[in-house]
Amino acid sequence: MKRNEFGFVLPNLYYQFLSEWDEVDPYEIGDSGICLYANEDLLERNETYQIEVDEPDFFLIGQEGDLAYFIKKNADDCIYENDLGALGSLEMQKISANVYDFIDKSLEEEL
């Protein structure tokens, strides 16, 4: 996998995560209900939800129901969230410094 496979440069730690997660199934974060998409699903999920139209600076990487998780294109490793029904009308909320921190926080909230 190339770091610019999707037409922009993936953040360092997210690229590392995808390289380590060499699976075709989504990465399920414990019993949190959150899944991070496998490399093979990323483009299809972004096209399905028309992310390029509503939030062209962001790239969808996972979700939990209607709550979606994003990285910012050509930017740092921060993870953002937004409601899929509110894309383009509500500002993205930064929730984590990177994908590994996001996974750890999600697992802690399960307890």
Side-chain angles (χ1 to χ4, degrees):
M1 175 182 148
K2 295 179 186 174
R3 207 164 155 218
N4 63 350
E5 183 170 333
F6 301 105
F8 63 93
V9 177
L10 291 169
N12 290 332
L13 293 175
Y14 183 67
Y15 175 71
Q16 178 182 323
F17 170 79
L18 283 181
S19 299
E20 292 169 353
W21 181 252
D22 191 24
E23 299 287 332
V24 294
D25 294 323
Y27 181 89
E28 302 286 340
I29 302 178
D31 293 327
S32 68
I34 299 171
C35 75
L36 297 175
Y37 303 129
N39 183 34
E40 291 78 14
D41 297 328
L42 286 166
L43 199 54
E44 183 271 329
R45 297 280 83 199
N46 277 270
E47 289 172 355
T48 297
Y49 290 109
Q50 299 180 325
I51 304 305
E52 184 67 32
V53 173
D54 296 321
E55 291 288 354
D57 294 333
F58 290 88
F59 192 70
L60 177 65
I61 62 166
Q63 74 184 89
E64 174 191 14
D66 288 339
L67 190 59
Y69 302 101
F70 301 84
I71 55 172
K72 192 168 187 177
K73 294 178 180 177
N74 299 309
D76 60 16
D77 277 292
C78 293
I79 305 296
Y80 299 82
E81 73 177 10
N82 207 336
D83 188 298
L84 284 170
L87 294 180
S89 60
L90 288 180
E91 189 174 321
M92 290 282 183
Q93 299 298 310
K94 186 185 336 182
I95 58 166
S96 186
N98 62 66
V99 68
Y100 296 106
D101 184 49
F102 174 67
I103 291 169
D104 289 344
K105 286 181 180 178
S106 298
L107 289 171
E108 286 173 13
E109 290 177 7
E110 277 183 29
L111 303 174

